[in-house]
Amino acid sequence: MSTATPTTTSPPAKIHITITITPETHSFTTNPLPPLLTLSLLSHHPTPITLCTFNRPLALPSALTNRTITIHSLPSRQKIETSLFQVNRSPVTRIKGDSDEQFYLTLLPNTPTTISTPFGRGGGVNKIRPVPKAIAEKGWEVDEEGRERRVRRSVQPTGVDGLEPGLEYEVGLDRESLEGMWWAPVKREEILVEGGTTEGRYMGDYGGWVKGGVEWVVEGGRVKVEE
């Protein structure tokens, strides 16, 4: 497999991201499901651009468990150590119709694009009821009645799951990960190749990637957590 070295000569891009959590208040007692995390993106680049989002803050819902979505408690701004799950996998492909196609996100000039996921556990399948910090720290899953099951779980938060009630939190994006994202000034259709391709089938084989050169403007979101 050949791997292209990203260039830094393309004209700079500016991307505005607004983070919202809906509803803005989550109650562990009355809300059986987590709120919705939404990222609204707006590119000011004169041409379409495609971002490679794999293992980056824009790859939802996996960004909730690779620490590229950040959570800080307010007003102290103490950073919350969130859950981390690492998966060994083969290199990202660029085959049309492959599951990896999801990692190529095209933004059109001055055209809003939104991506969203439940702000909790479950891999984007909104089915696991969030629990407060005191329960999560015990390290056991609980049933609908709150009884412990002998099934292990992460003791660290994923979205609102595992956060401490009575506090407000700011949700943001990891700046280092965001700024390290590869992008190209084309639509993703110009990056993807047909199935059956053996040469040049991986993400790194595309020669037009640019690393850096993006001005990221991020407006963080907030969520209040109650018992």
Side-chain angles (χ1 to χ4, degrees):
M1 180 187 100
S2 63
T3 301
T5 300
T7 180
T8 56
T9 59
S10 182
K14 181 178 181 179
I15 301 175
H16 195 117
I17 303 177
T18 302
I19 304 172
T20 56
I21 297 94
T22 310
E24 296 179 346
T25 299
H26 178 77
S27 168
F28 293 113
T29 303
T30 60
N31 298 127
L33 298 177
L36 187 69
L37 169 70
T38 300
L39 308 183
S40 300
L41 298 92
L42 186 64
S43 170
H44 301 285
H45 197 267
T47 70
I49 65 174
T50 295
L51 305 165
C52 181
T53 66
F54 174 71
N55 209 31
R56 302 290 179 177
L58 304 185
L60 301 180
S62 60
L64 298 182
T65 52
N66 65 15
R67 294 180 178 169
T68 57
I69 296 287
T70 61
I71 303 176
H72 290 81
S73 61
L74 298 175
S76 68
R77 291 203 51 79
Q78 178 182 355
K79 186 175 182 179
I80 304 300
E81 196 81 353
T82 55
S83 57
L84 176 64
F85 297 98
Q86 296 177 316
V87 178
N88 293 324
R89 54 152 293 162
S90 58
V92 177
T93 69
R94 57 184 182 123
I95 304 296
K96 292 180 181 178
D98 187 88
S99 60
D100 285 349
E101 188 175 342
Q102 66 180 304
F103 299 125
Y104 300 89
L105 175 64
T106 294
L107 304 178
L108 301 178
N110 299 305
T111 303
T113 298
T114 60
I115 54 177
S116 60
T117 188
F119 194 46
R121 293 190 302 145
V125 184
N126 205 344
K127 291 184 177 180
I128 299 180
R129 181 169 190 148
V131 298
K133 179 180 180 179
I135 295 177
E137 285 184 331
K138 296 179 180 179
W140 298 104
E141 296 283 7
V142 295
D143 62 20
E144 289 298 321
E145 303 300 323
R147 296 180 295 242
E148 288 185 359
R149 301 165 52 209
R150 306 310 286 178
V151 178
R152 299 297 299 179
R153 55 149 291 158
S154 171
V155 299
Q156 296 169 320
T158 301
V160 295
D161 179 82
L163 293 181
E164 185 176 354
L167 296 176
E168 183 176 20
Y169 297 87
E170 183 177 64
V171 180
L173 308 180
D174 181 78
R175 177 64 61 171
E176 182 179 358
S177 181
L178 198 62
E179 293 178 350
M181 195 179 312
W182 288 12
W183 64 283
V186 296
K187 292 184 178 180
R188 72 175 185 170
E189 287 77 11
E190 297 185 43
I191 299 174
L192 301 175
V193 295
E194 296 294 336
T197 302
T198 55
E199 294 295 326
R201 67 194 306 268
Y202 295 102
M203 179 271 290
D205 293 322
Y206 177 69
W209 290 117
V210 181
K211 184 177 182 180
V214 176
E215 179 185 351
W216 297 97
V217 180
V218 180
E219 294 185 27
R222 293 192 176 191
V223 61
K224 295 180 180 179
V225 178
E226 301 175 348
E227 284 287 3

